[in-house]
Amino acid sequence: MTTKPEANSTAEAADEQWLSPKDICTQLQIPEQTFYQWRVKHIGPRAYRIGRHLRISRSDFNSWLSSHMEA
């Protein structure tokens, strides 16, 4: 039996955890206004509009966070 790679990647995408801006701000201990200012300046984590809601994937957030850590 063989499995299709597309099926595995689809399953992984379905398992992706989505965070709200409020979740991000709680984790980083910053005001929501800071998150939205970062968004306007294109320096915050990548966000997606899903319907009326703004969501950030956990993997995108973790990548963004690791790229902004101080050495």
Side-chain angles (χ1 to χ4, degrees):
M1 241 187 338
T2 61
T3 59
K4 295 180 183 176
E6 300 90 33
N8 291 339
S9 63
T10 304
E12 289 172 7
D15 291 339
E16 180 72 57
Q17 183 181 10
W18 294 94
L19 305 169
S20 69
K22 190 170 193 149
D23 296 333
I24 299 292
C25 294
T26 300
Q27 276 193 331
L28 297 177
Q29 298 179 352
I30 58 169
E32 283 188 56
Q33 186 62 33
T34 300
F35 173 83
Y36 288 107
Q37 287 173 356
W38 288 350
R39 183 164 160 72
V40 168
K41 295 175 183 177
H42 303 286
I43 59 174
R46 171 184 253 173
Y48 302 90
R49 180 139 326 259
I50 302 174
R52 299 181 339 176
H53 305 284
L54 195 61
R55 294 293 181 255
I56 301 91
S57 74
R58 170 66 74 180
S59 59
D60 283 346
F61 175 63
N62 289 340
S63 297
W64 176 84
L65 196 57
S66 65
S67 71
H68 286 82
M69 292 178 68
E70 290 188 17

